Amino acid sequence: MIKKDSSNGRAKISLFLPLSVLALILFFNLFFLFGIAPPALQENRLLAERPSVPKNLTEWTDFATRADAYLTDHFPPRAHMIGYLNYLRFWMGYSQSAKVMVGKQGWMFYNDGSRMAQTLGRERLNAESLKSWVNGFKQRMNYVSGKGGQFYMLMAPVKEDIFPEFRPRWAAHERVATEFDDFVSETSKAGIDRLIDPRPALLAVKPEQEIWYKYDTHWNGLGAYQAYRVLMRRIARDFPGLEPLPVSSFTPSAQAPHQQPRNLSLMLGISSFLKHGGTSFATDPIHDPNATVFLSERKDWTAPQILVTDNPSGPVLLWIRDSFGNELLPLMKRHFSKIIMVHLQDGFFRKDLVDTHQPSVVLLEVIEIGARHTMGNLPELASEPALDAKPLAKN
């Protein structure tokens, strides 16, 4: 009986793995050799930095971990591997990313960690927290009114609220009452009509108009226009002459492929494989740099800044906003002489800017799932009797 030499088999197997890895690396580096750019990838996180040379025993201890993290994040064919694998998953109808959910017909939705809990009606504030929220709204209204202005709030709906039919298969595909509806109801009961709800207008036009970006979290220019129209109609009741302009008054911007809104497809690294588009009125930069005064050392779009517009006779607007304001800005500029614009990350209410600039209009604009955090009671604004500030709680 002849015995098989198992050592040769083991040797072949031991060589197979490193040779396969080497072949894979060489294959993906062919993209660089032939000038094929990697897919655009923005993971919405900071990549690991190159580790410095260790200077002491403590740094030597975690050097291997830091080096491994750096090599993992900067592995040459990494973007190619992520992009092609994620595109295969996307084509199959799902996403491996914790931040991106793939719905029907390839629609993408952002996962804030709750998997649409608010939109599905599973997370809502209790009665006490709603009362505190409404009281905070009154405080801001009264404070701004005491300074000669008016306070408004525009809530931007999440994409899955306007397009339930394209939600992932595991989610309900009918709209239900949500926390947004609770805010609208409770402010109305309190006699407040300054909470602007653009959802009815958006739902009314969506069968005929493309109002959202399929591969981005935000509304496009036509969706922003619907919100602008509802907002300015309400403001015009207090400031005659600020009625919304027809959509024909605005010129869509020509956007290069790398400027097109596509944050969700970028997170997956597959934006290069998809066709993006949609009407936009936004520009880059967002305003004439020669007519912009930055209020801090930062110069990005989120930085506190003052925009001087081409309408010298208009009132002054203080706008506290998030990224949904990008498409609104070109529309709003037509009505105001000066816009003091700050991001929500620097505070949900800017008493300092109200006192300094005495704006006629103060606008808080925020996505609906973040609205619960915006109206905590501020004792320094207590022209209304302030309730004890308590953390917002769920039912």
Side-chain angles (χ1 to χ4, degrees):
M1 183 175 181
I2 300 175
K3 294 183 178 180
K4 294 182 179 179
D5 187 355
S6 60
S7 61
N8 288 336
R10 286 195 296 270
K12 292 179 180 178
I13 293 174
S14 63
L15 284 173
F16 176 77
L17 182 59
L19 289 175
S20 298
V21 173
L22 179 60
L24 188 62
I25 294 174
L26 291 174
F27 171 75
F28 278 104
N29 275 284
L30 289 176
F31 288 98
F32 298 97
L33 180 63
F34 290 102
I36 302 175
L41 175 64
Q42 292 181 6
E43 298 176 76
N44 206 23
R45 68 178 181 90
L46 294 176
L47 299 182
E49 297 181 354
R50 182 193 300 269
S52 58
V53 177
K55 299 177 181 178
N56 51 54
L57 182 60
T58 302
E59 292 184 0
W60 273 110
T61 301
D62 64 353
F63 178 76
T65 301
R66 291 186 290 117
D68 180 68
Y70 174 79
L71 291 173
T72 299
D73 278 355
H74 299 274
F75 182 55
R78 180 173 179 272
H80 289 287
M81 297 174 70
I82 291 175
Y84 289 116
L85 182 57
N86 280 345
Y87 184 65
L88 176 62
R89 290 167 173 156
F90 168 76
W91 183 79
M92 297 173 65
Y94 77 100
S95 163
Q96 194 68 10
S97 170
K99 297 180 179 179
V100 181
M101 299 174 289
V102 176
K104 292 183 176 180
Q105 298 184 28
W107 279 62
M108 294 181 186
F109 301 91
Y110 181 70
N111 178 23
D112 64 350
S114 71
R115 291 174 66 83
M116 302 185 181
Q118 285 194 40
T119 309
L120 298 176
R122 296 171 183 167
E123 283 190 4
R124 297 168 77 170
L125 298 182
N126 61 25
E128 183 179 16
S129 293
L130 281 171
K131 183 179 180 181
S132 177
W133 194 93
V134 172
N135 190 76
F137 202 122
K138 289 180 180 179
Q139 286 183 319
R140 287 155 177 79
M141 284 176 51
N142 290 340
Y143 187 81
V144 174
S145 177
K147 297 292 182 177
Q150 300 293 343
F151 177 80
Y152 308 87
M153 180 178 184
L154 170 65
M155 285 175 60
V158 290
K159 183 180 185 178
E160 54 269 26
D161 189 13
I162 303 301
F163 297 93
E165 65 272 26
F166 296 124
R167 293 173 187 169
R169 287 177 173 79
W170 52 263
H173 296 100
E174 297 80 30
R175 299 181 71 244
V176 298
T178 66
E179 193 169 87
F180 196 153
D181 297 290
D182 295 337
F183 291 138
V184 172
S185 174
E186 291 304 311
T187 51
S188 178
K189 289 177 183 177
I192 299 171
D193 64 350
R194 307 290 182 82
L195 176 57
I196 312 301
D197 179 5
R199 292 175 301 172
L202 290 164
L203 291 168
V205 302
K206 80 168 190 176
E208 293 83 31
Q209 296 183 23
E210 184 179 322
I211 58 174
W212 230 272
Y213 293 109
K214 188 174 180 179
Y215 307 123
D216 193 273
T217 52
H218 302 92
W219 51 33
N220 64 18
L222 296 179
Y225 176 78
Q226 295 301 322
Y228 151 84
R229 190 174 63 166
V230 177
L231 171 65
M232 294 309 297
R233 281 177 175 171
R234 175 60 191 87
I235 292 177
R237 287 163 51 189
D238 299 320
F239 298 89
L242 294 187
E243 289 80 6
L245 299 170
V247 70
S248 58
S249 300
F250 305 101
T251 303
S253 60
Q255 295 183 317
H258 71 278
Q259 294 176 317
Q260 293 175 348
R262 53 196 172 123
N263 59 1
L264 297 173
S265 60
L266 278 172
M267 289 181 199
L268 295 182
I270 65 173
S271 66
S272 304
F273 310 133
L274 301 172
K275 182 179 180 181
H276 299 80
T279 301
S280 174
F281 301 113
T283 58
D284 184 21
I286 62 173
H287 192 66
D288 181 359
N290 295 320
T292 304
V293 178
F294 287 95
L295 303 179
S296 71
E297 294 182 358
R298 300 197 336 257
K299 306 295 183 185
D300 61 280
W301 71 270
T302 68
Q305 54 197 281
I306 298 176
L307 313 181
V308 179
T309 74
D310 296 327
N311 179 10
S313 62
V316 174
L317 166 67
L318 170 58
W319 185 358
I320 306 162
R321 68 177 206 140
D322 62 14
S323 55
F324 274 78
N326 292 342
E327 286 288 353
L328 279 169
L329 179 59
L331 316 179
M332 301 290 286
K333 285 195 293 187
R334 302 286 287 272
H335 298 278
F336 299 93
S337 62
K338 186 166 64 175
I339 300 178
I340 303 101
M341 194 164 61
V342 293
H343 195 272
L344 292 168
Q345 66 189 8
D346 295 321
F348 298 123
F349 187 77
R350 294 299 299 269
K351 178 178 178 292
D352 57 331
L353 297 178
V354 173
D355 295 344
T356 301
H357 297 281
Q358 303 286 306
S360 297
V361 177
V362 177
L363 172 64
L364 171 63
E365 172 264 308
V366 61
I367 189 171
E368 65 171 286
I369 58 175
R372 57 167 53 192
H373 306 292
T374 60
M375 292 294 172
N377 284 305
L378 300 175
E380 65 270 25
L381 304 186
S383 54
E384 281 284 316
L387 303 175
D388 293 333
K390 297 181 180 180
L392 298 181
K394 303 173 189 176
N395 277 327

PDB file of all heavy atoms in Angstrom, residues 255-262 276:
ATOM      1  N   GLN A 255     -24.925  71.697 -11.605  1.00  0.00           N
ATOM      2  CA  GLN A 255     -24.032  71.093 -10.635  1.00  0.00           C
ATOM      3  C   GLN A 255     -23.154  70.030 -11.284  1.00  0.00           C
ATOM      4  O   GLN A 255     -23.648  69.174 -12.027  1.00  0.00           O
ATOM      5  CB  GLN A 255     -24.832  70.461  -9.486  1.00  0.00           C
ATOM      6  CG  GLN A 255     -25.596  71.493  -8.652  1.00  0.00           C
ATOM      7  CD  GLN A 255     -26.321  70.843  -7.497  1.00  0.00           C
ATOM      8  OE1 GLN A 255     -26.925  69.799  -7.636  1.00  0.00           O
ATOM      9  NE2 GLN A 255     -26.269  71.470  -6.337  1.00  0.00           N
ATOM     10  N   ALA A 256     -21.875  70.108 -10.990  1.00  0.00           N
ATOM     11  CA  ALA A 256     -20.951  69.080 -11.453  1.00  0.00           C
ATOM     12  C   ALA A 256     -21.266  67.780 -10.725  1.00  0.00           C
ATOM     13  O   ALA A 256     -21.859  67.791  -9.634  1.00  0.00           O
ATOM     14  CB  ALA A 256     -19.512  69.506 -11.180  1.00  0.00           C
ATOM     15  N   PRO A 257     -20.889  66.631 -11.295  1.00  0.00           N
ATOM     16  CA  PRO A 257     -21.194  65.343 -10.640  1.00  0.00           C
ATOM     17  C   PRO A 257     -20.750  65.274  -9.184  1.00  0.00           C
ATOM     18  O   PRO A 257     -21.472  64.734  -8.343  1.00  0.00           O
ATOM     19  CB  PRO A 257     -20.446  64.338 -11.513  1.00  0.00           C
ATOM     20  CG  PRO A 257     -20.413  64.964 -12.868  1.00  0.00           C
ATOM     21  CD  PRO A 257     -20.264  66.439 -12.615  1.00  0.00           C
ATOM     22  N   HIS A 258     -19.588  65.843  -8.871  1.00  0.00           N
ATOM     23  CA  HIS A 258     -19.096  65.738  -7.491  1.00  0.00           C
ATOM     24  C   HIS A 258     -19.842  66.681  -6.543  1.00  0.00           C
ATOM     25  O   HIS A 258     -19.682  66.584  -5.322  1.00  0.00           O
ATOM     26  CB  HIS A 258     -17.598  66.045  -7.439  1.00  0.00           C
ATOM     27  CG  HIS A 258     -17.256  67.489  -7.665  1.00  0.00           C
ATOM     28  ND1 HIS A 258     -17.168  68.037  -8.934  1.00  0.00           N
ATOM     29  CD2 HIS A 258     -16.991  68.508  -6.803  1.00  0.00           C
ATOM     30  CE1 HIS A 258     -16.855  69.316  -8.834  1.00  0.00           C
ATOM     31  NE2 HIS A 258     -16.747  69.634  -7.558  1.00  0.00           N
ATOM     32  N   GLN A 259     -20.663  67.591  -7.073  1.00  0.00           N
ATOM     33  CA  GLN A 259     -21.419  68.510  -6.241  1.00  0.00           C
ATOM     34  C   GLN A 259     -22.849  68.036  -5.990  1.00  0.00           C
ATOM     35  O   GLN A 259     -23.542  68.596  -5.142  1.00  0.00           O
ATOM     36  CB  GLN A 259     -21.462  69.898  -6.899  1.00  0.00           C
ATOM     37  CG  GLN A 259     -20.114  70.587  -7.000  1.00  0.00           C
ATOM     38  CD  GLN A 259     -20.210  71.900  -7.743  1.00  0.00           C
ATOM     39  OE1 GLN A 259     -20.888  72.000  -8.773  1.00  0.00           O
ATOM     40  NE2 GLN A 259     -19.531  72.924  -7.252  1.00  0.00           N
ATOM     41  N   GLN A 260     -23.295  67.039  -6.703  1.00  0.00           N
ATOM     42  CA  GLN A 260     -24.675  66.594  -6.580  1.00  0.00           C
ATOM     43  C   GLN A 260     -24.914  65.943  -5.214  1.00  0.00           C
ATOM     44  O   GLN A 260     -24.106  65.134  -4.761  1.00  0.00           O
ATOM     45  CB  GLN A 260     -25.004  65.615  -7.701  1.00  0.00           C
ATOM     46  CG  GLN A 260     -25.007  66.267  -9.077  1.00  0.00           C
ATOM     47  CD  GLN A 260     -25.223  65.276 -10.195  1.00  0.00           C
ATOM     48  OE1 GLN A 260     -25.155  64.078 -10.000  1.00  0.00           O
ATOM     49  NE2 GLN A 260     -25.471  65.786 -11.397  1.00  0.00           N
ATOM     50  N   PRO A 261     -26.011  66.295  -4.545  1.00  0.00           N
ATOM     51  CA  PRO A 261     -26.306  65.691  -3.243  1.00  0.00           C
ATOM     52  C   PRO A 261     -26.456  64.177  -3.359  1.00  0.00           C
ATOM     53  O   PRO A 261     -27.279  63.678  -4.136  1.00  0.00           O
ATOM     54  CB  PRO A 261     -27.631  66.361  -2.850  1.00  0.00           C
ATOM     55  CG  PRO A 261     -27.608  67.664  -3.578  1.00  0.00           C
ATOM     56  CD  PRO A 261     -26.960  67.361  -4.899  1.00  0.00           C
ATOM     57  N   ARG A 262     -25.703  63.441  -2.574  1.00  0.00           N
ATOM     58  CA  ARG A 262     -25.688  61.975  -2.665  1.00  0.00           C
ATOM     59  C   ARG A 262     -25.035  61.385  -1.429  1.00  0.00           C
ATOM     60  O   ARG A 262     -24.258  60.434  -1.496  1.00  0.00           O
ATOM     61  CB  ARG A 262     -24.894  61.564  -3.919  1.00  0.00           C
ATOM     62  CG  ARG A 262     -23.515  62.204  -3.956  1.00  0.00           C
ATOM     63  CD  ARG A 262     -22.839  62.166  -5.308  1.00  0.00           C
ATOM     64  NE  ARG A 262     -21.629  62.970  -5.267  1.00  0.00           N
ATOM     65  CZ  ARG A 262     -20.408  62.518  -5.553  1.00  0.00           C
ATOM     66  NH1 ARG A 262     -20.214  61.270  -5.906  1.00  0.00           N
ATOM     67  NH2 ARG A 262     -19.367  63.318  -5.496  1.00  0.00           N
ATOM     68  N   HIS A 276     -27.218  60.163 -10.613  1.00  0.00           N
ATOM     69  CA  HIS A 276     -27.795  61.131  -9.699  1.00  0.00           C
ATOM     70  C   HIS A 276     -28.382  62.287 -10.488  1.00  0.00           C
ATOM     71  O   HIS A 276     -28.036  62.515 -11.640  1.00  0.00           O
ATOM     72  CB  HIS A 276     -26.731  61.655  -8.728  1.00  0.00           C
ATOM     73  CG  HIS A 276     -26.123  60.586  -7.873  1.00  0.00           C
ATOM     74  ND1 HIS A 276     -25.134  59.743  -8.340  1.00  0.00           N
ATOM     75  CD2 HIS A 276     -26.358  60.202  -6.594  1.00  0.00           C
ATOM     76  CE1 HIS A 276     -24.788  58.897  -7.385  1.00  0.00           C
ATOM     77  NE2 HIS A 276     -25.522  59.160  -6.322  1.00  0.00           N
TER      78      HIS A 276
END
